């Protein structure tokens, strides 16, 4: 069994907590009003069959659901310590998120010298929104 520390980062109100709850099978915060994450929320769960070097092994995952609020930026170095990968989430319906994800990518991937293979970018889209018809536009 090996351990994996994954950071879930991105702008505020991009859907990080919803994704974290889904990935970890957490149900404590399904539905209800928006409540921004303060600092970080750590979810722990196991993945029994992960392919690592051609072998199926178990993995204990620490999923760090990080606040998108810039007031927590001073905490970023501590969050990055010993991380194995980064998931960057943004809301395609918020134009400012496109610029903000560049900041998250620069800090959490480039400056930490992570490989692109250790980074996943997720474009979150709310199907119930007015722009929910067809494909969301990602700009130019």
């Amino acid at each position: 069994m090996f351990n994996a520390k994954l950071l879930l980062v991105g702008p505020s109100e991009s859907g990080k907590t919803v994704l974290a709850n889904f990935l970890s099978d957490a149900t404590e915060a399904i539905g209800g009003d928006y409540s921004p994450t303060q600092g970080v929320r750590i979810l722990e769960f196991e993945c029994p069959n992960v392919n690592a070097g051609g072998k199926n092994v178990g993995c204990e995952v620490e999923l760090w659901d990080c606040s998108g609020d810039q007031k927590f930026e001073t905490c970023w170095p501590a969050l990055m310590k010993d991380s194995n990968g980064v998931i960057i989430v943004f809301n395609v319906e918020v134009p400012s998120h496109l610029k903000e994800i560049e900041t998250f990518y620069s800090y959490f991937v480039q400056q930490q010298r992570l490989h692109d293979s250790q980074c996943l970018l997720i474009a979150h889209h709310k199907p119930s929104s007015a722009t929910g018809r067809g494909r969301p536009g990602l700009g130019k």
Side-chain angles (χ1 to χ4, degrees):
M1 176 119 10
F2 70 94
N3 298 327
K5 176 181 175 182
L6 303 175
L7 303 182
L8 199 54
V9 301
S12 294
E13 296 189 59
S14 58
K16 297 179 298 293
T17 297
V18 171
L19 182 60
N21 288 341
F22 175 77
L23 292 173
S24 66
D25 285 331
T27 57
E28 76 258 8
I30 293 178
D33 296 329
Y34 173 71
S35 178
T37 301
Q38 297 299 308
V40 67
R41 187 176 72 114
I42 303 170
L43 296 102
E44 298 178 290
F45 57 96
E46 291 185 13
C47 292
N49 294 312
V50 175
N51 188 331
K55 297 179 183 178
N56 279 335
V57 296
C59 178
E60 292 182 3
V61 178
E62 282 185 11
L63 185 59
W64 291 47
D65 177 12
C66 305
S67 173
D69 193 324
Q70 295 297 314
K71 72 181 180 184
F72 296 108
E73 188 172 342
T74 57
C75 300
W76 289 0
L79 299 176
M80 275 303 302
K81 186 173 177 9
D82 300 326
S83 67
N84 302 104
V86 176
I87 303 168
I88 302 172
V89 181
F90 71 103
N91 185 337
V92 297
E93 298 164 357
V94 181
S96 64
H97 281 194
L98 291 176
K99 184 66 177 163
E100 289 180 63
I101 62 173
E102 292 176 12
T103 301
F104 285 100
Y105 181 81
S106 173
Y107 184 81
F108 286 97
V109 180
Q110 290 177 325
Q111 290 180 28
Q112 303 302 322
R113 292 181 170 43
L114 289 180
H115 299 283
D116 283 344
S117 62
Q118 294 172 276
C119 176
L120 177 64
L121 180 65
I122 297 179
H124 180 250
H125 176 67
K126 296 179 183 176
S128 62
S129 70
T131 60
R133 296 175 194 94
R135 287 193 155 154
L138 295 179
K140 296 178 182 173

